[in-house]
mmCIF file of all heavy atoms in Angstrom:
data_model
loop_
_atom_site.group_PDB
_atom_site.id
_atom_site.type_symbol
_atom_site.label_atom_id
_atom_site.label_comp_id
_atom_site.label_asym_id
_atom_site.label_seq_id
_atom_site.Cartn_x
_atom_site.Cartn_y
_atom_site.Cartn_z
ATOM 1 N N VAL A 1 -103.131 -30.895 -95.864
ATOM 2 C CA VAL A 1 -104.048 -32.026 -95.660
ATOM 3 C C VAL A 1 -104.041 -32.960 -96.845
ATOM 4 O O VAL A 1 -104.044 -34.144 -96.707
ATOM 5 C CB VAL A 1 -105.498 -31.477 -95.362
ATOM 6 C CG1 VAL A 1 -106.509 -32.597 -95.317
ATOM 7 C CG2 VAL A 1 -105.544 -30.725 -94.049
ATOM 8 N N ALA A 2 -104.093 -32.377 -98.076
ATOM 9 C CA ALA A 2 -104.140 -33.216 -99.215
ATOM 10 C C ALA A 2 -102.808 -34.020 -99.311
ATOM 11 O O ALA A 2 -102.959 -35.231 -99.549
ATOM 12 C CB ALA A 2 -104.208 -32.307 -100.539
ATOM 13 N N GLU A 3 -101.692 -33.416 -99.047
ATOM 14 C CA GLU A 3 -100.428 -34.122 -99.252
ATOM 15 C C GLU A 3 -100.378 -35.288 -98.114
ATOM 16 O O GLU A 3 -99.796 -36.338 -98.438
ATOM 17 C CB GLU A 3 -99.235 -33.276 -99.088
ATOM 18 C CG GLU A 3 -99.101 -32.248 -100.319
ATOM 19 C CD GLU A 3 -98.062 -31.199 -100.195
ATOM 20 O OE1 GLU A 3 -97.504 -31.135 -99.055
ATOM 21 O OE2 GLU A 3 -97.769 -30.534 -101.153
ATOM 22 N N GLY A 4 -100.907 -34.958 -96.940
ATOM 23 C CA GLY A 4 -100.897 -35.966 -95.902
ATOM 24 C C GLY A 4 -101.785 -37.163 -96.256
ATOM 25 O O GLY A 4 -101.581 -38.251 -95.650
ATOM 26 N N ARG A 5 -102.664 -37.029 -97.210
ATOM 27 C CA ARG A 5 -103.551 -38.129 -97.613
ATOM 28 C C ARG A 5 -103.009 -38.785 -98.879
ATOM 29 O O ARG A 5 -103.681 -39.544 -99.544
ATOM 30 C CB ARG A 5 -105.018 -37.636 -97.813
ATOM 31 C CG ARG A 5 -105.640 -37.201 -96.531
ATOM 32 C CD ARG A 5 -107.017 -36.575 -96.773
ATOM 33 N NE ARG A 5 -107.780 -36.448 -95.498
ATOM 34 C CZ ARG A 5 -108.879 -37.001 -95.166
ATOM 35 N NH1 ARG A 5 -109.476 -37.742 -96.003
ATOM 36 N NH2 ARG A 5 -109.409 -36.855 -93.946
ATOM 37 N N GLY A 6 -101.805 -38.461 -99.227
ATOM 38 C CA GLY A 6 -101.220 -38.929 -100.429
ATOM 39 C C GLY A 6 -101.550 -38.415 -101.804
ATOM 40 O O GLY A 6 -101.407 -38.897 -102.814
ATOM 41 N N ILE A 7 -102.354 -37.209 -101.668
ATOM 42 C CA ILE A 7 -102.660 -36.421 -102.929
ATOM 43 C C ILE A 7 -101.589 -35.656 -103.362
ATOM 44 O O ILE A 7 -100.988 -34.894 -102.602
ATOM 45 C CB ILE A 7 -103.935 -35.666 -102.653
ATOM 46 C CG1 ILE A 7 -105.135 -36.486 -102.226
ATOM 47 C CG2 ILE A 7 -104.325 -34.864 -103.877
ATOM 48 C CD1 ILE A 7 -106.354 -35.684 -101.700
ATOM 49 N N GLU A 8 -101.176 -35.761 -104.627
ATOM 50 C CA GLU A 8 -100.026 -34.983 -105.170
ATOM 51 C C GLU A 8 -100.599 -33.585 -105.407
ATOM 52 O O GLU A 8 -101.679 -33.312 -105.855
ATOM 53 C CB GLU A 8 -99.651 -35.575 -106.454
ATOM 54 C CG GLU A 8 -98.437 -34.840 -107.091
ATOM 55 C CD GLU A 8 -97.957 -35.552 -108.445
ATOM 56 O OE1 GLU A 8 -98.732 -36.539 -108.811
ATOM 57 O OE2 GLU A 8 -97.090 -35.046 -109.103
ATOM 58 N N THR A 9 -99.752 -32.588 -105.140
ATOM 59 C CA THR A 9 -100.046 -31.087 -105.238
ATOM 60 C C THR A 9 -98.987 -30.531 -106.085
ATOM 61 O O THR A 9 -97.850 -30.840 -106.029
ATOM 62 C CB THR A 9 -100.310 -30.350 -103.940
ATOM 63 O OG1 THR A 9 -99.047 -30.319 -103.355
ATOM 64 C CG2 THR A 9 -101.249 -30.943 -103.086
ATOM 65 N N TYR A 10 -99.466 -29.551 -106.939
ATOM 66 C CA TYR A 10 -98.509 -28.727 -107.801
ATOM 67 C C TYR A 10 -98.991 -27.277 -107.581
ATOM 68 O O TYR A 10 -100.087 -26.969 -107.864
ATOM 69 C CB TYR A 10 -98.582 -29.092 -109.215
ATOM 70 C CG TYR A 10 -97.796 -28.145 -110.055
ATOM 71 C CD1 TYR A 10 -96.380 -28.194 -110.069
ATOM 72 C CD2 TYR A 10 -98.441 -27.207 -110.875
ATOM 73 C CE1 TYR A 10 -95.649 -27.237 -110.843
ATOM 74 C CE2 TYR A 10 -97.736 -26.378 -111.658
ATOM 75 C CZ TYR A 10 -96.329 -26.397 -111.663
ATOM 76 O OH TYR A 10 -95.672 -25.482 -112.376
ATOM 77 N N VAL A 11 -97.985 -26.465 -107.211
ATOM 78 C CA VAL A 11 -98.235 -25.006 -107.047
ATOM 79 C C VAL A 11 -97.379 -24.216 -108.029
ATOM 80 O O VAL A 11 -96.110 -24.273 -107.896
ATOM 81 C CB VAL A 11 -97.964 -24.506 -105.638
ATOM 82 C CG1 VAL A 11 -98.172 -23.027 -105.511
ATOM 83 C CG2 VAL A 11 -98.961 -25.224 -104.652
ATOM 84 N N HIS A 12 -97.961 -23.643 -109.006
ATOM 85 C CA HIS A 12 -97.221 -22.920 -110.129
ATOM 86 C C HIS A 12 -96.401 -21.772 -109.423
ATOM 87 O O HIS A 12 -96.867 -21.129 -108.498
ATOM 88 C CB HIS A 12 -98.171 -22.426 -111.141
ATOM 89 C CG HIS A 12 -97.490 -21.756 -112.291
ATOM 90 N ND1 HIS A 12 -97.171 -20.464 -112.390
ATOM 91 C CD2 HIS A 12 -97.067 -22.340 -113.464
ATOM 92 C CE1 HIS A 12 -96.609 -20.232 -113.539
ATOM 93 N NE2 HIS A 12 -96.531 -21.323 -114.266
ATOM 94 N N PRO A 13 -95.222 -21.421 -109.858
ATOM 95 C CA PRO A 13 -94.472 -20.358 -109.341
ATOM 96 C C PRO A 13 -95.097 -19.008 -109.333
ATOM 97 O O PRO A 13 -94.775 -18.057 -108.624
ATOM 98 C CB PRO A 13 -93.180 -20.243 -110.278
ATOM 99 C CG PRO A 13 -93.070 -21.656 -110.806
ATOM 100 C CD PRO A 13 -94.372 -22.136 -110.923
ATOM 101 N N ALA A 14 -96.183 -18.775 -110.171
ATOM 102 C CA ALA A 14 -96.900 -17.576 -110.156
ATOM 103 C C ALA A 14 -97.725 -17.345 -108.915
ATOM 104 O O ALA A 14 -98.267 -16.282 -108.529
ATOM 105 C CB ALA A 14 -97.895 -17.501 -111.345
ATOM 106 N N CYS A 15 -97.849 -18.440 -108.080
ATOM 107 C CA CYS A 15 -98.665 -18.381 -106.785
ATOM 108 C C CYS A 15 -97.732 -17.849 -105.811
ATOM 109 O O CYS A 15 -96.451 -17.915 -105.803
ATOM 110 C CB CYS A 15 -99.079 -19.691 -106.349
ATOM 111 S SG CYS A 15 -100.198 -20.621 -107.603
ATOM 112 N N ASP A 16 -98.301 -17.149 -104.681
ATOM 113 C CA ASP A 16 -97.477 -16.691 -103.582
ATOM 114 C C ASP A 16 -97.525 -17.511 -102.267
ATOM 115 O O ASP A 16 -97.542 -16.959 -101.241
ATOM 116 C CB ASP A 16 -97.894 -15.154 -103.395
ATOM 117 C CG ASP A 16 -99.293 -15.045 -102.971
ATOM 118 O OD1 ASP A 16 -99.973 -15.996 -102.786
ATOM 119 O OD2 ASP A 16 -99.723 -13.867 -102.693
ATOM 120 N N LEU A 17 -97.578 -18.786 -102.524
ATOM 121 C CA LEU A 17 -97.769 -19.759 -101.433
ATOM 122 C C LEU A 17 -96.378 -20.286 -101.076
ATOM 123 O O LEU A 17 -95.429 -20.273 -101.900
ATOM 124 C CB LEU A 17 -98.718 -20.933 -101.811
ATOM 125 C CG LEU A 17 -100.062 -20.415 -102.125
ATOM 126 C CD1 LEU A 17 -100.812 -21.732 -102.721
ATOM 127 C CD2 LEU A 17 -100.829 -19.839 -101.109
ATOM 128 N N PHE A 18 -96.289 -20.902 -99.884
ATOM 129 C CA PHE A 18 -95.166 -21.567 -99.417
ATOM 130 C C PHE A 18 -93.827 -20.697 -99.437
ATOM 131 O O PHE A 18 -92.811 -21.109 -100.020
ATOM 132 C CB PHE A 18 -94.904 -22.912 -100.188
ATOM 133 C CG PHE A 18 -96.028 -23.850 -99.948
ATOM 134 C CD1 PHE A 18 -96.822 -24.165 -101.080
ATOM 135 C CD2 PHE A 18 -96.388 -24.306 -98.787
ATOM 136 C CE1 PHE A 18 -97.940 -24.951 -100.861
ATOM 137 C CE2 PHE A 18 -97.475 -25.233 -98.574
ATOM 138 C CZ PHE A 18 -98.294 -25.510 -99.649
ATOM 139 N N ALA A 19 -93.955 -19.511 -99.046
ATOM 140 C CA ALA A 19 -92.857 -18.586 -98.913
ATOM 141 C C ALA A 19 -92.762 -17.879 -97.610
ATOM 142 O O ALA A 19 -93.825 -17.729 -96.934
ATOM 143 C CB ALA A 19 -92.855 -17.514 -100.084
ATOM 144 N N GLN A 20 -91.587 -17.494 -97.118
ATOM 145 C CA GLN A 20 -91.618 -16.775 -95.887
ATOM 146 C C GLN A 20 -91.860 -15.307 -96.156
ATOM 147 O O GLN A 20 -91.257 -14.645 -97.088
ATOM 148 C CB GLN A 20 -90.147 -16.852 -95.227
ATOM 149 C CG GLN A 20 -89.994 -16.101 -93.999
ATOM 150 C CD GLN A 20 -88.637 -16.083 -93.350
ATOM 151 O OE1 GLN A 20 -88.559 -16.077 -92.152
ATOM 152 N NE2 GLN A 20 -87.598 -16.230 -94.239
ATOM 153 N N TYR A 21 -92.754 -14.739 -95.373
ATOM 154 C CA TYR A 21 -93.022 -13.274 -95.462
ATOM 155 C C TYR A 21 -92.638 -12.673 -94.105
ATOM 156 O O TYR A 21 -92.946 -13.204 -93.006
ATOM 157 C CB TYR A 21 -94.542 -13.073 -95.723
ATOM 158 C CG TYR A 21 -95.004 -13.465 -97.139
ATOM 159 C CD1 TYR A 21 -95.316 -14.772 -97.444
ATOM 160 C CD2 TYR A 21 -95.073 -12.479 -98.046
ATOM 161 C CE1 TYR A 21 -95.663 -15.056 -98.716
ATOM 162 C CE2 TYR A 21 -95.469 -12.781 -99.349
ATOM 163 C CZ TYR A 21 -95.751 -14.075 -99.673
ATOM 164 O OH TYR A 21 -96.121 -14.447 -100.961
ATOM 165 N N HIS A 22 -92.003 -11.495 -94.197
ATOM 166 C CA HIS A 22 -91.629 -10.825 -92.919
ATOM 167 C C HIS A 22 -91.667 -9.300 -93.107
ATOM 168 O O HIS A 22 -91.581 -8.760 -94.145
ATOM 169 C CB HIS A 22 -90.154 -11.301 -92.600
ATOM 170 C CG HIS A 22 -89.207 -11.127 -93.727
ATOM 171 N ND1 HIS A 22 -88.408 -9.988 -93.846
ATOM 172 C CD2 HIS A 22 -88.873 -11.938 -94.652
ATOM 173 C CE1 HIS A 22 -87.611 -10.206 -94.896
ATOM 174 N NE2 HIS A 22 -87.873 -11.292 -95.457
ATOM 175 N N LEU A 23 -91.893 -8.634 -91.965
ATOM 176 C CA LEU A 23 -92.052 -7.258 -91.969
ATOM 177 C C LEU A 23 -90.532 -6.506 -92.022
ATOM 178 O O LEU A 23 -89.623 -7.128 -91.471
ATOM 179 C CB LEU A 23 -92.672 -6.747 -90.673
ATOM 180 C CG LEU A 23 -94.178 -7.230 -90.568
ATOM 181 C CD1 LEU A 23 -94.666 -6.780 -89.243
ATOM 182 C CD2 LEU A 23 -94.992 -6.597 -91.633
ATOM 183 N N VAL A 24 -90.544 -5.341 -92.605
ATOM 184 C CA VAL A 24 -89.327 -4.574 -92.633
ATOM 185 C C VAL A 24 -89.542 -3.245 -92.079
ATOM 186 O O VAL A 24 -90.442 -2.488 -92.458
ATOM 187 C CB VAL A 24 -88.767 -4.470 -94.135
ATOM 188 C CG1 VAL A 24 -87.533 -3.545 -94.079
ATOM 189 C CG2 VAL A 24 -88.418 -5.844 -94.704
ATOM 190 N N LYS A 25 -88.730 -2.824 -91.101
ATOM 191 C CA LYS A 25 -88.860 -1.528 -90.514
ATOM 192 C C LYS A 25 -87.765 -0.631 -91.139
ATOM 193 O O LYS A 25 -86.671 -0.941 -91.373
ATOM 194 C CB LYS A 25 -88.515 -1.534 -88.927
ATOM 195 C CG LYS A 25 -88.700 -0.238 -88.243
ATOM 196 C CD LYS A 25 -88.357 -0.309 -86.801
ATOM 197 C CE LYS A 25 -88.450 1.011 -86.042
ATOM 198 N NZ LYS A 25 -88.201 0.784 -84.694
ATOM 199 N N SER A 26 -88.248 0.634 -91.545
ATOM 200 C CA SER A 26 -87.233 1.535 -92.205
ATOM 201 C C SER A 26 -87.658 2.932 -91.900
ATOM 202 O O SER A 26 -88.658 3.200 -91.219
ATOM 203 C CB SER A 26 -87.405 1.378 -93.829
ATOM 204 O OG SER A 26 -88.673 1.890 -94.271
ATOM 205 N N ARG A 27 -86.830 3.959 -92.426
ATOM 206 C CA ARG A 27 -87.092 5.218 -92.207
ATOM 207 C C ARG A 27 -87.458 5.948 -93.460
ATOM 208 O O ARG A 27 -87.273 7.217 -93.646
ATOM 209 C CB ARG A 27 -85.808 6.051 -91.608
ATOM 210 C CG ARG A 27 -85.322 5.453 -90.297
ATOM 211 C CD ARG A 27 -86.289 5.746 -89.128
ATOM 212 N NE ARG A 27 -85.797 5.265 -87.879
ATOM 213 C CZ ARG A 27 -86.517 5.164 -86.740
ATOM 214 N NH1 ARG A 27 -87.718 5.706 -86.807
ATOM 215 N NH2 ARG A 27 -85.959 4.834 -85.657
ATOM 216 N N THR A 28 -87.998 5.265 -94.409
ATOM 217 C CA THR A 28 -88.476 5.783 -95.681
ATOM 218 C C THR A 28 -89.626 6.684 -95.517
ATOM 219 O O THR A 28 -90.344 6.574 -94.543
ATOM 220 C CB THR A 28 -88.770 4.633 -96.759
ATOM 221 O OG1 THR A 28 -89.707 3.769 -96.066
ATOM 222 C CG2 THR A 28 -87.495 3.877 -97.002
ATOM 223 N N VAL A 29 -89.839 7.537 -96.527
ATOM 224 C CA VAL A 29 -90.904 8.511 -96.430
ATOM 225 C C VAL A 29 -91.940 8.159 -97.568
ATOM 226 O O VAL A 29 -91.519 8.037 -98.778
ATOM 227 C CB VAL A 29 -90.497 9.981 -96.673
ATOM 228 C CG1 VAL A 29 -91.646 10.940 -96.597
ATOM 229 C CG2 VAL A 29 -89.602 10.272 -95.474
ATOM 230 N N TYR A 30 -93.159 8.001 -97.234
ATOM 231 C CA TYR A 30 -94.195 7.618 -98.228
ATOM 232 C C TYR A 30 -94.341 8.693 -99.285
ATOM 233 O O TYR A 30 -94.333 9.872 -98.945
ATOM 234 C CB TYR A 30 -95.506 7.446 -97.561
ATOM 235 C CG TYR A 30 -96.665 7.113 -98.507
ATOM 236 C CD1 TYR A 30 -96.851 5.906 -98.919
ATOM 237 C CD2 TYR A 30 -97.497 8.178 -98.932
ATOM 238 C CE1 TYR A 30 -97.911 5.591 -99.851
ATOM 239 C CE2 TYR A 30 -98.537 7.963 -99.873
ATOM 240 C CZ TYR A 30 -98.772 6.702 -100.267
ATOM 241 O OH TYR A 30 -99.758 6.392 -101.233
ATOM 242 N N GLY A 31 -94.335 8.270 -100.498
ATOM 243 C CA GLY A 31 -94.566 9.162 -101.601
ATOM 244 C C GLY A 31 -93.255 9.814 -102.216
ATOM 245 O O GLY A 31 -93.228 10.164 -103.384
ATOM 246 N N TYR A 32 -92.147 9.729 -101.400
ATOM 247 C CA TYR A 32 -90.897 10.378 -101.759
ATOM 248 C C TYR A 32 -89.879 9.335 -102.023
ATOM 249 O O TYR A 32 -89.080 9.320 -102.962
ATOM 250 C CB TYR A 32 -90.403 11.231 -100.664
ATOM 251 C CG TYR A 32 -91.172 12.551 -100.645
ATOM 252 C CD1 TYR A 32 -92.339 12.681 -99.803
ATOM 253 C CD2 TYR A 32 -90.713 13.688 -101.322
ATOM 254 C CE1 TYR A 32 -93.104 13.899 -99.750
ATOM 255 C CE2 TYR A 32 -91.570 14.942 -101.292
ATOM 256 C CZ TYR A 32 -92.701 14.985 -100.483
ATOM 257 O OH TYR A 32 -93.456 16.068 -100.417
ATOM 258 N N ASP A 33 -89.882 8.198 -101.265
ATOM 259 C CA ASP A 33 -88.972 7.104 -101.406
ATOM 260 C C ASP A 33 -89.649 6.049 -102.093
ATOM 261 O O ASP A 33 -90.805 5.803 -102.059
ATOM 262 C CB ASP A 33 -88.452 6.643 -100.106
ATOM 263 C CG ASP A 33 -87.628 7.775 -99.351
ATOM 264 O OD1 ASP A 33 -86.899 8.415 -99.944
ATOM 265 O OD2 ASP A 33 -87.900 7.863 -98.040
ATOM 266 N N ASP A 34 -88.758 5.202 -102.735
ATOM 267 C CA ASP A 34 -89.234 4.093 -103.478
ATOM 268 C C ASP A 34 -89.523 2.913 -102.510
ATOM 269 O O ASP A 34 -88.669 2.090 -102.239
ATOM 270 C CB ASP A 34 -88.204 3.573 -104.578
ATOM 271 C CG ASP A 34 -88.666 2.422 -105.388
ATOM 272 O OD1 ASP A 34 -89.874 2.127 -105.393
ATOM 273 O OD2 ASP A 34 -87.929 1.790 -106.120
ATOM 274 N N VAL A 35 -90.842 2.876 -101.961
ATOM 275 C CA VAL A 35 -91.196 1.852 -101.052
ATOM 276 C C VAL A 35 -92.203 0.881 -101.729
ATOM 277 O O VAL A 35 -93.203 1.309 -102.244
ATOM 278 C CB VAL A 35 -91.880 2.499 -99.816
ATOM 279 C CG1 VAL A 35 -92.284 1.440 -98.810
ATOM 280 C CG2 VAL A 35 -90.998 3.549 -99.241
ATOM 281 N N ARG A 36 -91.668 -0.336 -101.735
ATOM 282 C CA ARG A 36 -92.603 -1.445 -102.337
ATOM 283 C C ARG A 36 -93.260 -2.193 -101.194
ATOM 284 O O ARG A 36 -92.730 -2.712 -100.231
ATOM 285 C CB ARG A 36 -91.733 -2.384 -103.117
ATOM 286 C CG ARG A 36 -91.004 -1.573 -104.203
ATOM 287 C CD ARG A 36 -90.431 -2.556 -105.194
ATOM 288 N NE ARG A 36 -89.650 -1.731 -106.259
ATOM 289 C CZ ARG A 36 -89.270 -2.365 -107.446
ATOM 290 N NH1 ARG A 36 -89.571 -3.572 -107.648
ATOM 291 N NH2 ARG A 36 -88.751 -1.566 -108.310
ATOM 292 N N LEU A 37 -94.602 -2.313 -101.302
ATOM 293 C CA LEU A 37 -95.363 -3.022 -100.360
ATOM 294 C C LEU A 37 -94.950 -4.445 -100.308
ATOM 295 O O LEU A 37 -95.081 -5.063 -99.159
ATOM 296 C CB LEU A 37 -96.932 -2.775 -100.594
ATOM 297 C CG LEU A 37 -97.375 -1.465 -100.482
ATOM 298 C CD1 LEU A 37 -98.924 -1.439 -100.836
ATOM 299 C CD2 LEU A 37 -97.171 -0.795 -99.225
ATOM 300 N N VAL A 38 -94.725 -5.048 -101.474
ATOM 301 C CA VAL A 38 -94.212 -6.530 -101.363
ATOM 302 C C VAL A 38 -92.942 -6.417 -102.255
ATOM 303 O O VAL A 38 -92.845 -6.156 -103.402
ATOM 304 C CB VAL A 38 -95.152 -7.450 -102.206
ATOM 305 C CG1 VAL A 38 -94.654 -8.791 -102.292
ATOM 306 C CG2 VAL A 38 -96.505 -7.428 -101.426
ATOM 307 N N GLU A 39 -91.869 -6.865 -101.551
ATOM 308 C CA GLU A 39 -90.536 -6.932 -102.357
ATOM 309 C C GLU A 39 -90.195 -8.419 -102.619
ATOM 310 O O GLU A 39 -90.135 -9.250 -101.767
ATOM 311 C CB GLU A 39 -89.492 -6.435 -101.282
ATOM 312 C CG GLU A 39 -88.019 -6.391 -101.875
ATOM 313 C CD GLU A 39 -87.080 -5.849 -100.997
ATOM 314 O OE1 GLU A 39 -87.254 -5.116 -100.024
ATOM 315 O OE2 GLU A 39 -85.843 -6.187 -101.124
ATOM 316 N N GLU A 40 -90.209 -8.664 -103.925
ATOM 317 C CA GLU A 40 -89.963 -10.039 -104.398
ATOM 318 C C GLU A 40 -88.583 -10.458 -104.431
ATOM 319 O O GLU A 40 -87.672 -9.824 -105.093
ATOM 320 C CB GLU A 40 -90.430 -10.083 -105.876
ATOM 321 C CG GLU A 40 -90.380 -11.477 -106.450
ATOM 322 C CD GLU A 40 -91.212 -12.538 -105.815
ATOM 323 O OE1 GLU A 40 -92.582 -12.371 -105.764
ATOM 324 O OE2 GLU A 40 -90.683 -13.350 -105.236
ATOM 325 N N ARG A 41 -88.196 -11.438 -103.542
ATOM 326 C CA ARG A 41 -86.807 -11.992 -103.498
ATOM 327 C C ARG A 41 -86.672 -13.446 -103.890
ATOM 328 O O ARG A 41 -85.630 -14.117 -103.555
ATOM 329 C CB ARG A 41 -86.265 -11.781 -102.062
ATOM 330 C CG ARG A 41 -86.176 -10.222 -101.641
ATOM 331 C CD ARG A 41 -85.267 -10.227 -100.279
ATOM 332 N NE ARG A 41 -85.222 -8.725 -99.981
ATOM 333 C CZ ARG A 41 -84.545 -8.433 -98.900
ATOM 334 N NH1 ARG A 41 -84.059 -9.310 -98.029
ATOM 335 N NH2 ARG A 41 -84.441 -7.121 -98.520
ATOM 336 N N THR A 42 -87.737 -13.942 -104.347
ATOM 337 C CA THR A 42 -87.727 -15.346 -104.850
ATOM 338 C C THR A 42 -87.022 -15.461 -106.161
ATOM 339 O O THR A 42 -86.784 -14.372 -106.870
ATOM 340 C CB THR A 42 -89.144 -16.001 -104.942
ATOM 341 O OG1 THR A 42 -89.955 -15.260 -105.703
ATOM 342 C CG2 THR A 42 -89.710 -16.059 -103.523
ATOM 343 N N THR A 43 -86.587 -16.531 -106.678
ATOM 344 C CA THR A 43 -85.848 -16.657 -107.941
ATOM 345 C C THR A 43 -86.669 -16.421 -109.142
ATOM 346 O O THR A 43 -86.134 -16.227 -110.188
ATOM 347 C CB THR A 43 -85.272 -18.022 -107.943
ATOM 348 O OG1 THR A 43 -86.254 -19.063 -107.926
ATOM 349 C CG2 THR A 43 -84.181 -18.236 -106.797
ATOM 350 N N TRP A 44 -87.951 -16.395 -109.019
ATOM 351 C CA TRP A 44 -88.753 -16.314 -110.241
ATOM 352 C C TRP A 44 -89.994 -15.377 -109.872
ATOM 353 O O TRP A 44 -90.550 -15.467 -108.793
ATOM 354 C CB TRP A 44 -89.373 -17.589 -110.758
ATOM 355 C CG TRP A 44 -90.134 -17.498 -111.978
ATOM 356 C CD1 TRP A 44 -89.710 -17.451 -113.286
ATOM 357 C CD2 TRP A 44 -91.521 -17.307 -112.182
ATOM 358 N NE1 TRP A 44 -90.645 -17.329 -114.147
ATOM 359 C CE2 TRP A 44 -91.829 -17.312 -113.416
ATOM 360 C CE3 TRP A 44 -92.563 -17.298 -111.176
ATOM 361 C CZ2 TRP A 44 -93.101 -17.104 -113.901
ATOM 362 C CZ3 TRP A 44 -93.877 -17.142 -111.666
ATOM 363 C CH2 TRP A 44 -94.156 -17.021 -113.044
#
């Protein structure tokens, strides 16, 4: 909404906005396998 009104926005890379999030199905076992709730694949 801000950008549509001509307001400039800046989102620092430490924010988790404007990224694609998707579910992953696996056969890993909780507590035994290295399962990360959030897997970071962005460049920073």
Side-chain angles (χ1 to χ4, degrees):
V1 171
E3 291 175 352
R5 291 175 171 239
I7 299 170
E8 184 180 0
T9 65
Y10 171 74
V11 177
H12 186 270
C15 301
D16 60 4
L17 303 174
F18 300 112
Q20 178 183 211
Y21 289 83
H22 51 95
L23 296 175
V24 176
K25 181 179 179 180
S26 73
R27 300 295 182 186
T28 54
V29 178
Y30 176 84
Y32 289 85
D33 296 318
D34 184 12
V35 180
R36 302 194 179 193
L37 296 181
V38 178
E39 182 178 337
E40 180 64 64
R41 292 189 182 181
T42 56
T43 56
W44 183 85

